[in-house]
Every structure is written in structure tokens, then in C-alpha cells.
Amino acid sequence: MDAVLVAGAVFVLFRLLNIFPWNVPVLDFHAYWESRDVINYPAYSPFLIGAYLYSPAFAHLIAPLTALPFQVFAGVWTGLLIAAYVWLTGRWALPLLLSVGVALELYLGQVDIFIAAAIVIGFRYPAAWAFPLLTKVAPGVGLLWFAFRREWRNLLIALTATIGIAAISAILAPSLWKGWIDLILRSASDHQQVSGSYLSLPIWIRMPAAIGLLFWGARSDRYWTVPVAAFLAMPILWVNVFTILLGAIPLLPSAGRTPARDWLLRSGNGAGSRVARAFARRARSPAT
């Protein structure tokens, strides 16, 4: 963990000093920063790399950061990404940093690591599900976990938080919301050729698999199935999207302690104790 934090500090320094190629405009986080000036959903292709494709609510959320100069925003954003990464992975942070998916995610400044963290946080605070739903939408399939377990209160909290945030954002920028909804509809209907490194496995195969995995995991206390299902539900499995699977590490008893796992197992509002009991049952099971 210490080695990764040192490497992360170097990455942050590269961003702050605006050193090429850590500052090129094609990187995804540049599109997030640029949302402070312009969001033009009609001009964006759903399959375009480096375009702002998320809801206006996300732009409103990060507005305090995008008010900063680009290199400062880039440094802060990279620091937050690395902190979330280390929080999720703990002792696995260094070997996983050498993987293509993690290295590319940190370079692009994408939000998949934040989505993985939100899924883990969502077991104790379901309102955290608003983040995946208002960015990449598809990982929201993980909410079926609450439905399959009949945890209606948690499901209601997650949906209410998402709708509430979206409503406030829509009041602030109704035209942008119309543009984003049109973009989502185009994403579902367009069949444009996708270029880049991704796993070519059709969504019509992956989505039923994701739902089936969730049902099995929910009925057998396998919490790690939620980030895996969220990953499978993604419309395009870019190489960096594999970092959503990092959310499974603190949810696997066999992975050992990580900062996220330690946080999750604290009693808190009762959710942590439920997870702890589930982990204990899985640890005693001969087939986890």
C-alpha cells in the first residue's frame, strides 16, 4: 500500500505539473473538467471516447472541482482515484497496479473505481447507489440485490436518493437533462462500430447472466456478486471497465483485510453486522 501511495503521489505530481502525456485533452477526466463550460449531448456519440456522457447531476456534483484550473483539477481527481483504489484493494494494490485495466483507468481518470467504491459503500449506505445510476446507469442492475433479498427499505433509500438528486439537477438544467435522456436512447438504439480495446461479448448474453448471478448471490450471502454483476451489465466492456471488479475484493472473505473491508464490517447502522455475519457463514462453508 505504501509503494502504491508513493507511486500515486508521483502521478498526482505529473498532473499538477501538466506533463505530457498526462495532460492530453482526449483523456476522459478532461471531458469532466470541460463540463463546466459546455455540455453538448446532441453532438456526442454514445461510443465516443473522451466525451462527457454522464448525467447533468454528475457535472453539478463535481462543479466545485471543475472550477479549478485544469492541472489542479487533474491532480486532485487523480489523488481521489488513487485513494479510492487503495481503500478497496489494500495489500492487493501493488500487484493490481501492474495490470492493464488499473493502469489505464488511472491514466484516463475514468469513474469505474469510484463506481466500485460506491457499490461497497452502498451495502451500508444505499444512497451511494445514486452515483452509478447517474453516471453509467447500467451498473444500477446491482439494486436487484436488495429486491431479491426483500430489503425494500434499502431499495427505497437508493431510489429516493437518486430521484431526489436528479430532480434538483433537472430543475437547475432541464434542457441538459432532455439532451442526456436522448443520448441514453441513442445508446440503446444505435449500432455504430466501436473502436478500441474491449471485450466483444453481447449485452443480451451478459445481462441475463448478471441478473442470474445476482439472484444466486443474494440468496446465498455472496456479496461479491454485486460488483461482478454490475461489470457484466456494462454496455461496452472496455479494458478499464474491468476495474469495477475491484469492488469484489473487500467482499471476498478469502481476499483478507482491506481498508474497505474493515470499514464495512464495523457495526454502524446495522448493515455492517449483517455483512459480518454473512462473511462468517461463508468462511465456515466448504465452498465459498
Side-chain angles (χ1 to χ4, degrees), residues 199-210:
L199 178 62
S200 181
L201 188 62
I203 187 65
W204 59 268
I205 294 177
R206 292 186 279 109
M207 185 60 78

Side-chain angles (χ1 to χ4, degrees), residues 176-198:
L176 286 180
W177 270 87
K178 181 181 182 303
W180 184 63
I181 293 171
D182 289 343
L183 178 70
I184 295 298
L185 295 176
R186 283 191 282 124
S187 300
S189 60
D190 287 1
H191 299 284
Q192 180 173 329
Q193 182 68 33
V194 181
S195 60
S197 299
Y198 68 100

Side-chain angles (χ1 to χ4, degrees), residues 215-236:
F215 180 80
W216 172 69
R219 307 305 292 177
S220 58
D221 288 334
R222 289 175 168 85
Y223 286 72
W224 58 266
T225 59
V226 180
V228 175
F231 162 76
L232 289 174
M234 290 293 293
I236 303 175

Side-chain angles (χ1 to χ4, degrees), residues 222 281-288:
R222 289 175 168 85
R281 288 194 294 271
R282 295 256 49 85
R284 291 194 296 269
S285 172
T288 58

Side-chain angles (χ1 to χ4, degrees), residues 18-255:
N18 214 25
I19 294 176
F20 181 85
W22 293 84
N23 59 347
V24 294
V26 73
L27 299 179
D28 292 273
F29 74 93
H30 186 274
Y32 309 156
W33 175 78
E34 201 173 35
S35 67
R36 71 180 195 167
D37 298 321
V38 60
I39 299 177
N40 188 11
Y41 291 119
Y44 299 152
S45 163
F47 309 101
L48 184 64
I49 298 174
Y52 182 86
L53 304 177
Y54 308 146
S55 77
F58 179 63
H60 291 145
L61 173 67
I62 63 174
L65 290 179
T66 58
L68 299 169
F70 173 63
Q71 61 264 37
V72 179
F73 167 82
V76 172
W77 188 260
T78 303
L80 292 173
L81 264 178
I82 291 168
Y85 170 67
V86 172
W87 183 74
L88 286 169
T89 57
R91 63 177 180 171
W92 301 100
L94 184 58
L96 288 172
L97 185 63
L98 303 178
S99 68
V100 176
V102 171
L104 183 60
E105 175 81 2
L106 294 176
Y107 175 64
L108 295 174
Q110 258 282 357
V111 298
D112 301 295
I113 291 175
F114 291 143
I115 289 175
I119 291 172
V120 174
I121 294 169
F123 287 113
R124 282 185 63 178
Y125 301 104
W129 276 98
F131 185 83
L133 286 167
L134 293 173
T135 51
K136 297 201 172 184
V137 184
V141 72
L143 286 178
L144 289 174
W145 168 272
F146 296 134
F148 291 148
R149 292 171 67 88
R150 296 183 176 87
E151 296 179 4
W152 306 118
R153 181 176 179 273
N154 287 337
L155 180 60
L156 181 62
I157 291 172
L159 293 176
T160 301
T162 303
I163 293 171
I165 294 170
I168 295 171
S169 176
I171 291 172
L172 295 174
S175 62
L176 286 180
W177 270 87
K178 181 181 182 303
W180 184 63
I181 293 171
D182 289 343
L183 178 70
I184 295 298
L185 295 176
R186 283 191 282 124
S187 300
S189 60
D190 287 1
H191 299 284
Q192 180 173 329
Q193 182 68 33
V194 181
S195 60
S197 299
Y198 68 100
L199 178 62
S200 181
L201 188 62
I203 187 65
W204 59 268
I205 294 177
R206 292 186 279 109
M207 185 60 78
I211 296 173
L213 181 67
L214 274 173
F215 180 80
W216 172 69
R219 307 305 292 177
S220 58
D221 288 334
R222 289 175 168 85
Y223 286 72
W224 58 266
T225 59
V226 180
V228 175
F231 162 76
L232 289 174
M234 290 293 293
I236 303 175
L237 297 182
W238 303 106
V239 172
N240 58 287
V241 169
F242 279 78
T243 52
I244 292 178
L245 296 174
L246 297 176
I249 293 175
L251 304 175
L252 281 167
S254 58

